[in-house]
Amino acid sequence: MTVTLYNNSSAYNVLHKNFGQAIASVTATVKGSCSVDNPTLLINYQTAASFNYFYVSDWGRYYKVTNRMLVPGEHMMISGVSDPIASFAGSIAGLDVYAVRCEDLTARSPELADPAVPVESDMQLDKVTGDSVIGTGSGYIVLGVV
Amino acid sequence: MSITTDSYYDVIYNEEVVDRIGLSKTLDNYTNEEIASMTFCGTEFSLIKNISQREQGVTLLGWDLAKPFDVADGEHIGNGGKYILSPGISPYQYPNGMPFNVVWIAFEYGIAPPIHLNIHEGNASHCKIITEFDAPKYEYQLTAPMEVGGIGAASWNVDDAPLYTTPLYNHDGHDNTLVYRINDNVTTGSLAPNGGAVVPYMFTVVNDYFVLLLLCPYNNQWYSRGNGTGAPWIPDGAVTGGGGYINYDWETSFGASCNVATLAKLSFNGEAISFPYTWYYSENYNGNDWGAPLDCFGYNDLGEPIEVYFNGAPEDGWGSQRAVTLKTFCKNRDQIYKLIAGGGIKFKTDKVYKPIITDGWVTGYTDDMNTPSELDDWHGSTIHTVAPSPPSPPVPPTGDEDNNDPVSTTGAPFSSGLCHYYALTAGSVLLEHISDALGTWDIENTHKDLYKNLVSCKLIKPPAAIPTTGSAPFTIYGVKPQYEGADITLPVVTGNPDASFGPYTIDRKFGDFRDYAPYTRVSIFLPYCGWCDLPSHVVGRQVSVKYFTDIIAATCKAVVFCNNNIIAEAAGVIGLDIPFVADNVGAKMQAVTAGMIAALGGGIQLGAGIGTMVSTKSGNGAKAALSGASQYLSGYSQMAMAFNENTIEISGKNGDGCCLSGATNIIIKIVRPKKGAYTDAPYVPPGYGHNVGFVSQKQVKVSSVSGLLIADNVDTSGISGATEAERAEIKRVLETGLIVNAAPE
């Protein structure tokens, strides 16, 4: 089984993580029973500090490294936890979802109230001055007679 | 036809490129039928061809690269056979729905001799082509040498920086190509050859369309506007030895000669835009069929309203600035407007209005484009110059769904036959005449008391002039009391002085929910009535006010409209009740009577002068005691004084918002939060969108947005291959905040 080692520089909740170039592709061996979601693998690699993610092509999944243990014989025992965001990024990108909030202005609904937006307590007064309704003349005397 | 460009045109026939036309290649080798389509640098466009030497004047051509249209023949375009080439200063027309903008080069005139644009020299191949390329390509075309010509040579500047000079008077017969980029401001320089005053013209190219301006004078004929104050004219017969003179003007107009309240200018966001100036060639010219008006298309590609300034009065000279009236239209993105001078103007406000032209005259406007009009085939018709009649501004509703439409009382109360009303200018001496006449009549006719027939007397300061029907003799109880032997003529009231004001635009500040309640509050001061709160949805809209008045009660109701819907109303007082009542008169008359009785009892003879007066007034020659007469006069004076005092008495009748106090103008007050330190839309702290996210509440595809996305009730069942735990994790992340970015290349 081949495992590709990466150094991810993106946050966990980023859809398409920045793995950069693969650090190495190494042979991995399963020791005993192994969880696909939280696997522990023996790999032929000992450069400890250079990777924090690995990809198991046979399983089609990315894993965030949770533990690395050097093993004699230039081997390393690595443990990881499945990152479904990275593993299924393409499928997630195709999902239709109901967006509650969004950074993208194209999805913004500016007319909907947003209580999180800070609103200044200080007010400004704008004025529109319209037409003069009451003239400056002396007016009329209106006499009503029978 | 000579198209000058350093690009190429492909001529395609039977789906094959049969020729590629490069610089200055003539297309005259092809007939209309042979040319199936053309492409410009690989993009299909439509050909406007066959501009022959017999075409006169200016032909403005262009097309939208994205929307090619067919060529029917050399003079028609589009399936509808729209006319595009014209003799003379050519009209043009494009298929309905085609976004298109026109760039029209303006040439300035000085005093005689005007600047002459000699572009032809009798050589049919020497057309002037001004090309315009769309912005993304940033292409400059400058294929012919720009030369400083002879008389009237002038600099053309782009964005106030000299680009090149071009001969406006050119004897060398070169083709000339002027090229501008989109959004260039192009101004003519000083073009007065003889020191005449010159007003530079400026236009801004606003649309991304390919435009050609072809100037093709006909056989050395002169096209001139003479001294610049009349309509353009063409001398009969060909003029030899000179050149084709084509005169333009855009910001000025021919209003002086054709009585068209023509367009003054267009602007877009406060900037002048491409030449919408359209003018009409007078039907006075009978040497050709130039009876059709010119028109102009525009296309709103930014979603801001187009502003049209209409000249309000005929101008008296070139370049003079006149009072203008501003109207806005074509308010939405992707709308097309069309302006037609001579045949009226098709406005685009809430609707498109089509001039209904019958026998050459605009008889009305309709928003039904299927209504027949000679506009449909205006090339073949002669359309007279008429003052454009824009659609009426918004008026109060007459048949909407609400049941609170105010109804004016104008008319009915004043023609009931029971009462009638006279309107005098306050302070008029006629009031004293009435007082005198009534008092005299009552004394002479003691069995009647005309004062009791005065039912009301009010001082009114209405919002408009009180409608009257001229003057008529003052009549009360069927009697016409006279003053110094003559009838007193007074204006007779026929209606209430209702008045409309506005509309007033209430601008938005934030462009979001903060423009509305509870953050923003709007109120309006209605003179006569006081302050009145308005619903905050008026922000970003227009409001207008109509006063429905009642001069019988000296009251009014101010009704505020927004989009023809009533949104507020308030009652007010427009005048003061003058307490002129029969009781006052009765008391005074009682004093008079008592005085007369006392005088008669005293047996004192009436003095000669007074006696004459009484004799004259009573007609019975009765004698009266002098003291009685004195009392009589005293009483009469008291009565008159009472009347006069009462005319100025305003005790206790005034309420808040009375017309005699407070502001006289309508004032709309908008109280809203300050923007604080955030000076740019959307006026939130930096990083707000990324860290908090804007409210969306929309269904979106994840890949269609970027940045932070917080979703609700995410359905992950469509993700195949994931375990339940993984789907739950995906759901959790989407509902707490997923950062969407583009997939790596």
Side-chain angles (χ1 to χ4, degrees):
Chain A
M1 184 167 60
T2 300
V3 170
T4 308
L5 307 179
Y6 292 101
N7 187 14
N8 169 42
S9 60
S10 301
Y12 173 72
N13 64 339
V14 171
L15 179 61
H16 296 289
K17 291 182 172 61
N18 181 16
F19 292 118
Q21 295 294 323
I23 293 173
S25 290
V26 298
T27 301
T29 305
V30 174
K31 293 295 183 182
S33 59
C34 178
S35 165
V36 173
D37 296 327
N38 301 281
T40 297
L41 302 173
L42 181 66
I43 62 175
N44 296 321
Y45 193 73
Q46 276 203 324
T47 306
S50 60
F51 68 94
N52 57 11
Y53 259 72
F54 62 90
Y55 177 71
V56 180
S57 58
D58 288 351
W59 300 341
R61 279 168 169 76
Y62 287 91
Y63 296 89
K64 180 172 64 177
V65 173
T66 57
N67 191 30
R68 293 166 296 183
M69 185 181 298
L70 296 179
V71 177
E74 296 188 350
H75 286 76
M76 180 183 291
M77 190 75 75
I78 58 173
S79 298
V81 60
S82 171
D83 180 350
I85 303 299
S87 302
F88 299 97
S91 298
I92 295 171
L95 286 178
D96 287 318
V97 300
Y98 186 79
V100 178
R101 305 188 78 92
C102 188
E103 179 180 356
D104 197 321
L105 289 174
T106 61
R108 184 190 182 207
S109 298
E111 313 297 343
L112 295 181
D114 185 353
V117 167
V119 179
E120 292 272 331
S121 297
D122 195 7
M123 310 293 276
Q124 71 177 58
L125 172 64
D126 294 325
K127 185 174 71 172
V128 177
T129 300
D131 299 284
S132 176
V133 175
I134 304 175
T136 57
S138 55
Y140 295 87
I141 296 294
V142 176
L143 281 178
V145 300
V146 175
Chain B
M1 173 181 180
S2 173
I3 296 178
T4 304
T5 173
D6 63 1
S7 298
Y8 61 86
Y9 299 86
D10 282 341
V11 179
I12 301 174
Y13 183 59
N14 285 340
E15 300 181 352
E16 294 182 2
V17 176
V18 297
D19 198 0
R20 171 161 291 183
I21 303 169
L23 282 172
S24 299
K25 191 69 175 289
T26 177
L27 301 182
D28 288 339
N29 295 329
Y30 299 90
T31 65
N32 302 326
E33 291 73 21
E34 287 174 334
I35 297 177
S37 64
M38 297 186 72
T39 61
F40 173 70
C41 295
T43 301
E44 186 177 17
F45 75 100
S46 294
L47 170 66
I48 305 167
K49 66 174 295 290
N50 198 23
I51 300 175
S52 73
Q53 62 185 31
R54 302 192 63 79
E55 300 296 340
Q56 305 175 32
V58 180
T59 300
L60 181 58
L61 307 177
W63 51 86
D64 175 6
L65 290 174
K67 296 182 179 179
F69 41 81
D70 299 328
V71 175
D73 57 58
E75 293 189 347
H76 292 76
I77 192 167
N79 295 330
K82 300 296 184 182
Y83 185 80
I84 187 163
L85 294 182
S86 164
I89 308 299
S90 49
Y92 49 89
Q93 189 157 338
Y94 299 93
N96 291 333
M98 171 168 289
F100 193 81
N101 196 50
V102 169
V103 176
W104 198 321
I105 307 298
F107 295 95
E108 172 53 45
Y109 296 89
I111 58 176
I115 297 299
H116 295 158
L117 178 63
N118 181 349
I119 55 175
H120 205 272
E121 291 275 314
N123 186 336
S125 65
H126 294 156
C127 298
K128 189 179 190 70
I129 304 177
I130 297 175
T131 55
E132 191 74 42
F133 294 87
D134 55 356
K137 296 176 181 171
Y138 293 108
E139 290 187 74
Y140 277 90
Q141 303 291 309
L142 193 60
T143 60
M146 293 296 108
E147 303 174 44
V148 178
I151 300 173
S155 298
W156 287 65
N157 300 325
V158 174
D159 286 337
D160 297 328
L163 178 64
Y164 48 75
T165 60
T166 185
L168 290 181
Y169 189 85
N170 176 14
H171 287 287
D172 62 8
H174 279 281
D175 290 348
N176 296 315
T177 301
L178 304 181
V179 182
Y180 306 107
R181 293 167 303 181
I182 299 297
N183 295 325
D184 276 343
N185 293 324
V186 183
T187 61
T188 62
S190 175
L191 300 178
N194 294 329
V198 169
V199 177
Y201 293 109
M202 185 272 287
F203 65 89
T204 302
V205 183
V206 295
N207 282 337
D208 298 343
Y209 298 106
F210 187 98
V211 175
L212 293 180
L213 173 57
L214 305 180
L215 311 177
C216 303
Y218 169 61
N219 287 348
N220 288 333
Q221 279 196 350
W222 293 53
Y223 301 79
S224 176
R225 217 187 130 176
N227 60 7
T229 59
W233 56 274
I234 298 179
D236 291 336
V239 177
T240 59
Y245 287 8
I246 299 180
N247 295 333
Y248 297 87
D249 175 28
W250 80 286
E251 197 164 88
T252 56
S253 72
F254 304 117
S257 60
C258 58
N259 298 319
V260 176
T262 42
L263 302 175
K265 61 182 178 179
L266 282 187
S267 65
F268 187 91
N269 279 339
E271 296 290 333
I273 61 172
S274 58
F275 292 114
Y277 169 67
T278 62
W279 58 275
Y280 170 79
Y281 187 76
S282 170
E283 66 269 28
N284 293 334
Y285 174 63
N286 55 11
N288 211 321
D289 56 346
W290 285 21
L294 297 181
D295 65 358
C296 174
F297 280 90
Y299 174 55
N300 186 345
D301 62 345
L302 293 179
E304 298 294 334
I306 305 293
E307 299 167 341
V308 185
Y309 294 87
F310 292 96
N311 285 331
E315 67 172 323
D316 54 4
W318 285 93
S320 62
Q321 296 297 313
R322 297 177 292 176
V324 295
T325 301
L326 172 64
K327 291 183 181 298
T328 61
F329 69 111
C330 197
K331 298 179 179 178
N332 299 320
R333 183 183 175 89
D334 295 333
Q335 284 184 333
I336 302 165
Y337 65 82
K338 177 181 183 180
L339 305 173
I340 303 172
I345 290 179
K346 186 185 291 184
F347 291 87
K348 193 142 194 171
T349 51
D350 295 333
K351 297 179 180 178
V352 174
Y353 295 89
K354 175 183 183 181
I356 304 172
I357 301 173
T358 305
D359 295 330
W361 296 92
V362 176
T363 58
Y365 292 86
T366 177
D367 58 3
D368 180 4
M369 294 300 115
N370 295 319
T371 302
S373 170
E374 292 176 7
L375 180 72
D376 300 333
D377 184 26
W378 51 260
H379 172 55
S381 63
T382 297
I383 301 174
H384 298 274
T385 57
V386 293
S389 300
S392 301
V395 296
T398 56
D400 53 5
E401 295 179 354
D402 61 45
N403 58 1
N404 60 348
D405 295 340
V407 177
S408 172
T409 56
T410 295
F414 306 103
S415 58
S416 66
L418 180 62
C419 297
H420 51 281
Y421 295 85
Y422 300 101
L424 298 75
T425 302
S428 168
V429 70
L430 291 174
L431 203 59
E432 298 179 14
H433 295 175
I434 295 170
S435 170
D436 189 292
L438 288 177
T440 302
W441 198 92
D442 278 358
I443 291 168
E444 295 172 347
N445 302 274
T446 54
H447 60 288
K448 286 187 177 179
D449 183 359
L450 288 184
Y451 279 104
K452 291 184 177 178
N453 297 299
L454 270 173
V455 296
S456 71
C457 179
K458 298 180 185 303
L459 172 62
I460 305 285
K461 293 197 71 173
I466 295 178
T468 61
T469 54
S471 297
F474 175 57
T475 305
I476 180 169
Y477 199 59
V479 175
K480 296 180 180 176
Q482 293 190 326
Y483 175 74
E484 294 183 346
D487 289 342
I488 304 170
T489 56
L490 302 174
V492 180
V493 175
T494 58
N496 280 315
D498 298 344
S500 296
F501 300 94
Y504 309 113
T505 300
I506 304 173
D507 292 331
R508 300 183 69 169
K509 285 295 183 186
F510 293 96
D512 60 25
F513 64 98
R514 287 168 288 183
D515 286 324
Y516 307 112
Y519 307 98
T520 296
R521 301 189 304 274
V522 184
S523 55
I524 186 169
F525 178 78
L526 300 164
Y528 303 119
C529 307
W531 285 98
C532 179
D533 290 336
L534 296 181
S536 64
H537 68 69
V538 299
V539 176
R541 294 184 169 88
Q542 291 185 323
V543 297
S544 56
V545 179
K546 182 165 185 178
Y547 281 90
F548 295 89
T549 57
D550 180 356
I551 61 170
I552 298 176
T555 61
C556 69
K557 177 175 284 187
V559 182
V560 183
F561 296 90
C562 180
N563 291 348
N564 284 347
N565 292 311
I566 296 175
I567 57 171
E569 59 183 42
V573 178
I574 62 171
L576 310 171
D577 192 13
I578 299 174
F580 182 88
V581 296
D583 285 348
N584 299 57
V585 178
K588 303 306 177 187
M589 290 303 296
Q590 193 173 28
V592 172
T593 304
M596 292 182 70
I597 293 172
L600 291 172
I604 301 172
Q605 295 298 311
L606 185 65
I610 300 301
T612 301
M613 181 188 74
V614 173
S615 173
T616 301
K617 290 183 176 177
S618 62
N620 58 14
K623 303 296 183 181
L626 181 58
S627 62
S630 298
Q631 291 186 41
Y632 153 65
L633 291 174
S634 174
Y636 186 85
S637 298
Q638 288 178 29
M639 183 180 68
M641 287 175 61
F643 187 96
N644 290 330
E645 288 168 358
N646 286 339
T647 60
I648 60 172
E649 183 176 340
I650 57 174
S651 57
K653 295 295 182 182
N654 304 343
D656 293 339
C658 167
C659 61
L660 297 182
S661 62
T664 60
N665 286 69
I666 292 172
I667 298 171
I668 300 171
K669 183 175 64 178
I670 308 108
V671 179
R672 46 191 153 203
K674 289 186 175 179
K675 290 176 181 175
Y678 318 122
T679 56
D680 297 321
Y683 308 109
V684 294
Y688 180 86
H690 184 68
N691 296 309
V692 182
F694 300 106
V695 167
S696 176
Q697 306 292 352
K698 292 179 180 177
Q699 188 81 4
V700 299
K701 184 182 289 293
V702 171
S703 59
S704 68
V705 299
S706 63
L708 177 65
L709 169 65
I710 301 176
D712 196 12
N713 293 323
V714 175
D715 178 9
T716 57
S717 60
I719 301 177
S720 63
T723 65
E724 280 303 315
E726 288 170 332
R727 288 177 179 172
E729 175 63 5
I730 293 170
K731 175 180 173 71
R732 185 193 67 80
V733 172
L734 274 167
E735 293 179 353
T736 56
L738 175 70
I739 305 298
V740 181
N741 56 349
E745 296 292 336

